[in-house]
Amino acid sequence: MALTGAMCVGLAATLAGCGGGGEKDPDADTNGVGKLSAAKIEDKARKAAEGARAVHLSGTLVSKGRSYKLDMRLKEDGGSGQVSTKDATFELLRVGKELYLKADADFWIHEDDTAGGSGNGAEGGTGGASKADRAAAEKLEDKYVKVPVGDPSYQQLGGFTDKKVLLDGLLGLHGTLSTGDRAEVAGVRTIRVLAGEGSGGSVDVSLEGAPYPLRLQRAGDAGVIRLADWNRDFTLTAPDETDVVDYGQQLPSHD
């Protein structure tokens, strides 16, 4: 018995084989949010996101029946990156209130449809485009087109470059909140918060450092978004004037 007791003392640090076993604390070496209620975790994640200077947002967003693939870097005074739809891919750059759009010729032939307008056959390819339309579009290819503030496209396209607008829309969960599994996102330990047991969306919140949201599953299969590089600043620079086309009050229409 004396020998057994001595062995238990010697092995206490490993908690092995002496009736003193136990599980590792899942919150050891974390920021502690895993111990909180789902509502408090969600609140801390939202506040952390709002307070961050910058973020890299990527993934798929479904809105009003349209699917967008996003790869955007955002901060308080603007953003830059790429947006893709079923029919087109374009780049966006916003520096303060100045919004620029860059795309190939095919995009400009169907600009109205891509930007949410009526369009003229984006489903049917560019074969129906007139020579005049094609010539005009080729002049815009790979140029930064300045989007007028009063243009109908400004608010929608500008929303992709607005950190506050995007995060306010994405971080909204719908339904009763509950905590889910612990996992990892890009090697960072997380805890999941679910709304309506997942039907109202979910967010994976970092258990390391600040409790930033790292992965968002939107309700109704409306997309999955990853958020990274929180607080990692980057430079936003307006394009050279020689690379900019300014249409003044409104972008060209193809109706």
Side-chain angles (χ1 to χ4, degrees), residues 47-71:
K47 289 179 178 177
E50 291 173 350
R53 296 188 302 274
V55 64
H56 179 193
L57 184 153
S58 61
T60 302
L61 171 65
V62 180
S63 177
K64 298 180 180 179
R66 296 179 66 87
S67 179
Y68 301 89
K69 185 176 180 180
L70 310 179
D71 188 359

Side-chain angles (χ1 to χ4, degrees), residues 18-160:
C18 298
E23 296 182 359
K24 182 180 179 181
D25 181 1
D27 293 301
D29 301 320
T30 72
N31 55 23
V33 298
K35 298 178 180 179
L36 303 178
S37 67
K40 288 185 177 179
I41 297 172
E42 191 267 349
D43 182 62
K44 282 186 173 292
R46 182 183 292 274
K47 289 179 178 177
E50 291 173 350
R53 296 188 302 274
V55 64
H56 179 193
L57 184 153
S58 61
T60 302
L61 171 65
V62 180
S63 177
K64 298 180 180 179
R66 296 179 66 87
S67 179
Y68 301 89
K69 185 176 180 180
L70 310 179
D71 188 359
M72 301 294 300
R73 298 183 70 191
L74 310 170
K75 60 181 184 177
E76 297 302 324
D77 59 345
S80 65
Q82 181 173 282
V83 179
S84 298
T85 68
K86 174 184 175 183
D87 305 305
T89 295
F90 52 95
E91 295 178 24
L92 291 172
L93 168 65
R94 183 172 65 84
V95 183
K97 292 184 179 180
E98 303 298 330
L99 176 64
Y100 305 90
L101 173 63
K102 185 177 181 180
D104 63 14
D106 287 344
F107 172 89
W108 289 111
I109 289 175
H110 304 300
E111 180 269 336
D112 283 315
D113 181 79
T114 304
S118 58
N120 267 337
E123 299 293 336
T126 61
S130 68
K131 289 184 178 180
D133 283 344
R134 168 60 67 179
E138 287 178 350
K139 291 181 180 179
L140 299 179
E141 186 163 37
D142 292 329
K143 289 284 189 180
Y144 286 96
V145 174
K146 189 174 181 180
V147 182
V149 174
D151 190 89
S153 301
Y154 184 92
Q155 185 172 4
Q156 180 182 0
L157 295 174
F160 290 122

